Amino acid sequence: MTIKDTPEEWEIRATVTPFVGNKTSVRTDDVVMPDGTVVHRDYQVHPGSVAILALDEQDRVLLIKQYRHPVRQKLWEIPAGLLDIPGENPLHAAQRELYEEAHVKAEDWRVLTDVYTTPGGCSEAIRIFLARNLSEAEGQRFEVEDEEADMEHARVPLDDLVRGVLAGELHNNCLAVGVLALVAARHGDGVDALRPAEAPWPARPFES
């Protein structure tokens, strides 16, 4: 048996969108189960996101610390952002986010992993990139606002982040998944075996 996720879509008898926000919405679908019963499924409709594990030559990961109101915490995270331009190439979005949030550019990009954040209640799909060969970006820094205006920045050794994730001290999903995926890649076929930066992404098809 091949262990691989597969596309499938059950019949939807009716759908309503009781809430539409600035970037996301909430939808209720009446879904037909395999036994013929119809159930309500509420979920958040999300455009998708990209995240960047930016690794410098000293094996340190570039982090930002940002207030996240739903969980009432300031979390250490890797740079990330929404795919809020339909059909946008996720690599281009990731390069933009790395510039805007950290004023950094990278020469080497690879796909680290693709994940669904909360598939039981949200359609968000995230592509996490590994970015290496870092340097300071040119031009003026991007003007930040709202929660981003209070961001802190740090470069932290990869090994310290692994310990922090396993100790329950770091909780951001992209940080945890990205750090552990990088360690797994190094202990497996190596970083050079990772998918290229423009590898297909069925969850969020994009233009080249």
Side-chain angles (χ1 to χ4, degrees), residues 3 5 25 41 57 61 65 95 124 133 137 139 151 181 183 185 205:
I3 304 300
D5 297 337
S25 60
R41 289 291 177 261
E57 294 179 353
V61 177
K65 194 175 189 181
Q95 291 169 333
E124 182 181 19
N133 297 344
M151 284 195 307
V183 172

Side-chain angles (χ1 to χ4, degrees), residues 157-177:
L158 179 65
D159 289 344
D160 291 351
L161 296 179
V162 172
R163 285 192 289 270
V165 169
L166 298 179
E169 298 168 351
L170 300 169
H171 305 90
N172 175 260
N173 58 349
C174 291
L175 170 61
V177 171

Side-chain angles (χ1 to χ4, degrees), residues 52-96:
I52 308 98
L53 195 150
L55 191 71
D56 70 14
E57 294 179 353
Q58 300 176 51
D59 217 35
R60 300 177 304 175
V61 177
L62 191 157
L63 299 183
I64 59 176
K65 194 175 189 181
Q66 186 171 349
Y67 176 65
R68 294 301 189 184
H69 185 70
V71 296
R72 309 300 199 269
Q73 290 196 30
K74 291 188 75 172
L75 301 180
W76 283 108
E77 307 177 351
I78 58 177
L82 294 174
L83 287 169
D84 47 10
I85 301 175
E88 182 178 20
N89 187 309
L91 173 60
H92 300 165
Q95 291 169 333
R96 181 185 67 242

Side-chain angles (χ1 to χ4, degrees), residues 26 28 50 62-63 115 129-130 160 190:
V26 173
T28 299
V50 291
L62 191 157
L63 299 183
V115 295
F129 289 92
L130 173 64
D160 291 351

Side-chain angles (χ1 to χ4, degrees), residues 94-175:
Q95 291 169 333
R96 181 185 67 242
E97 292 298 334
L98 187 60
Y99 164 75
E100 291 180 356
E101 295 194 346
H103 201 66
V104 165
K105 64 180 181 179
E107 298 302 322
D108 185 86
W109 290 83
R110 296 175 189 269
V111 175
L112 195 49
T113 189
D114 298 324
V115 295
Y116 290 112
T117 53
T118 319
C122 180
S123 68
E124 182 181 19
I126 293 185
R127 169 157 281 188
I128 304 177
F129 289 92
L130 173 64
R132 297 181 296 173
N133 297 344
L134 309 181
S135 62
E136 189 80 4
E138 300 172 356
Q140 292 186 334
R141 285 186 172 271
F142 183 77
E143 185 135 352
V144 296
E145 57 185 12
D146 301 327
E147 290 92 344
E148 293 182 350
D150 191 43
M151 284 195 307
E152 302 174 46
H153 294 79
R155 295 195 181 199
V156 181
L158 179 65
D159 289 344
D160 291 351
L161 296 179
V162 172
R163 285 192 289 270
V165 169
L166 298 179
E169 298 168 351
L170 300 169
H171 305 90
N172 175 260
N173 58 349
C174 291
L175 170 61

